Amino acid sequence: LKQSNMKKNMGNADRIVRILLAVVFAALYFTGTVTGTLGLVLVVAAGIFGLTSIVSFCPLYPILGISTCPVKK
């Protein structure tokens, strides 16, 4: 995959939190604890959190001027 203008903007703590949330959201949905529209929203959020954690890039961060990635010197 070509990586165009996607500089890492997520630190390890941010990635870990997102992965944990993705696991919890997916578990709530797949165990039937949360169903319906809210369940689908949680599954989509879990997918987004998981994907952004894997690539260490959140597309909203540049728009909001945020970066949790440590500054390299």
Side-chain angles (χ1 to χ4, degrees), residues 1-61:
L1 292 171
K2 182 181 175 188
Q3 197 172 14
S4 60
N5 289 339
M6 283 188 12
K7 294 181 180 179
K8 291 183 179 183
N9 64 5
M10 290 175 55
N12 285 335
D14 192 2
R15 293 175 64 204
I16 291 168
V17 168
R18 285 172 181 252
I19 289 170
L20 290 174
L21 284 173
V23 169
V24 169
F25 290 173
L28 286 172
Y29 178 75
F30 290 113
T31 60
T33 304
V34 179
T35 58
T37 304
L38 180 58
L40 293 176
V41 169
L42 287 181
V43 166
V44 170
I48 292 170
F49 284 172
L51 182 62
T52 56
S53 295
I54 291 169
V55 297
S56 298
F57 179 79
C58 178
L60 289 178
Y61 280 6

